[in-house]
Amino acid sequence: MLNVLPDAGLKGHPCFHPSAHHRFGRMHLPVAPRCNIKCGYCDRKLDCANESRPGASSKVISPEDALAAFRRALAEEPRIRVAAVAGPGDPLANEETFRTFELVGAEFPGVIKCLSTNGLFLPENAERLHALRVQALTVTVNAVDPEIGARVYEWVEYGGRRLYGEEAAERLISNQLGGIKKVVARGIAVKVNTVLIPGINEAHARRIALTVKQLGVRLMNIMPLYPAGSFKHLSRPTQEQLRAVRQHAGRVLQQMGWCRQCRADAYGLLSSSAHL
Ligand code: CLF
Ligand code: SF4
């Protein structure tokens, strides 16, 4: 039995607590349109593919409108326990994400704040997220080896420069791992998403699991590639491939088997989601 017991404070989080997804809901507030990297499978006409349902495209709203939408959603579905930002771009590349958490946190202090990110800007934002009382965070880690990462990411924009190839992947991976370490040290629960890309990282998932586990990550969500963007010629993993990779990685890190690949504007229970 793996020793991965989520914090008591996350008992109402449908993605972090295995028994919560039938009972509690979340709302995604789509305030974050910009992104700071280019994943090979990304089609920027659509939501961030690192956490979203393939083919979904959410409208972007302001932090003030997000607060109003959260109020309405909670009145409609009182089982919502989580206010999250999951795109449509990278939440940490958009100042609006922080403003949204300020507004929602001031009016609903008991609600769990959550976000999902590619992790590039995580190290410099760890303290800020902690100060905003963000409790749950997802980082999409598709590789911990820059050689593999260079095949996943087309470019990474950091420190005013656009990086390519292994230099880009090295920067991203180093920030992801350094950022995870920092937020875990501040008591934030971290889940890792990995997009399973056949022919690129399917033999690498267990190493990712081992690496992030050492940093204090407690849950992993391996998601099947939806072939899009520059990867539209690749095949989608079969159920059998997905099951085998999850089982292999699951020997070292608890796997999330109930992800619904939500839209960036989804709300309600995971099983009966509505969207803005
Ligand atoms: Fe949203 Fe993600 Fe927070 Fe959940 S979703 S930011 S951790 S509140 Fe959940 Fe949806 Fe799967 Fe994400 S089911 S896509 S894992
Ligand atoms: Fe697209 Fe990747 Fe940016 Fe998400 S993190 S919006 S998938 S480029």
Side-chain angles (χ1 to χ4, degrees):
M1 183 67 189
L2 289 162
N3 180 25
V4 187
L5 291 174
D7 294 341
L10 291 181
K11 271 200 299 206
H13 197 310
C15 310
F16 276 72
H17 201 287
S19 67
H21 65 286
H22 297 302
R23 296 188 291 140
F24 301 116
R26 50 77 188 96
M27 181 172 202
H28 283 173
L29 302 163
V31 296
R34 291 173 292 279
C35 193
N36 43 12
I37 69 173
K38 174 67 175 68
C39 305
Y41 46 72
C42 183
D43 175 350
R44 286 304 285 120
K45 291 195 284 296
L46 306 172
D47 287 357
C48 175
N50 286 341
E51 170 110 347
S52 293
R53 177 163 302 165
S57 163
S58 302
K59 67 173 181 182
V60 176
I61 58 177
S62 68
E64 291 71 22
D65 287 347
L67 174 62
F70 191 71
R71 248 185 239 131
R72 284 194 301 275
L74 210 55
E76 189 185 315
E77 177 47 274
R79 291 175 292 180
I80 290 175
R81 294 284 188 280
V82 179
V85 181
D90 186 70
L92 297 182
N94 295 268
E95 193 54 33
E96 291 85 348
T97 298
F98 302 95
R99 179 71 186 138
T100 301
F101 283 140
E102 268 169 24
L103 292 173
V104 173
E107 188 165 324
F108 301 99
V111 158
I112 297 167
K113 291 184 275 301
C114 180
L115 72 83
S116 117
T117 174
N118 60 42
L120 182 65
F121 291 169
L122 194 51
E124 56 259 52
N125 283 302
E127 190 46 45
R128 205 173 171 196
L129 295 173
H130 174 61
L132 282 167
R133 297 178 185 274
V134 170
Q135 288 142 283
L137 192 133
T138 294
V139 186
T140 300
V141 180
N142 296 319
V144 289
D145 174 343
E147 254 183 61
I148 297 175
R151 298 172 64 199
V152 179
Y153 305 106
E154 290 171 19
W155 50 257
V156 159
E157 257 169 13
Y158 195 70
R161 282 179 65 213
R162 186 171 280 202
L163 312 172
Y164 298 89
E166 283 189 36
E167 192 189 5
E170 244 169 50
R171 168 49 58 202
L172 179 62
I173 293 166
S174 153
N175 284 18
Q176 289 171 332
L177 303 182
I180 290 172
K181 208 169 162 184
K182 281 189 162 189
V183 292
V184 166
R186 286 164 174 78
I188 298 176
V190 181
K191 164 168 82 62
V192 155
N193 280 0
T194 298
V195 179
L196 176 60
I197 312 166
I200 296 185
N201 70 353
E202 82 266 46
H204 190 51
R206 187 181 154 97
R207 202 173 130 209
I208 297 173
L210 275 167
T211 306
V212 300
K213 186 187 177 172
Q214 282 163 6
L215 301 174
V217 171
R218 74 264 312 282
L219 193 60
M220 183 181 204
N221 175 21
I222 299 178
M223 309 159 81
L225 170 78
Y226 179 78
S230 315
F231 287 0
K232 59 176 180 286
H233 61 284
L234 296 183
S235 5
R236 189 161 162 80
T238 62
Q239 277 307 314
E240 184 48 36
Q241 267 177 316
L242 187 60
R243 195 195 55 74
V245 174
R246 281 180 175 163
Q247 199 177 49
H248 196 50
R251 294 200 186 106
V252 287
L253 189 55
Q254 182 173 333
Q255 299 292 303
M256 177 190 188
W258 61 95
C259 173
R260 298 293 179 122
Q261 291 186 267
C262 315
R263 297 168 55 113
D265 61 356
Y267 68 95
L269 297 193
L270 300 187
S271 56
S272 55
S273 240
H275 65 85
L276 289 178

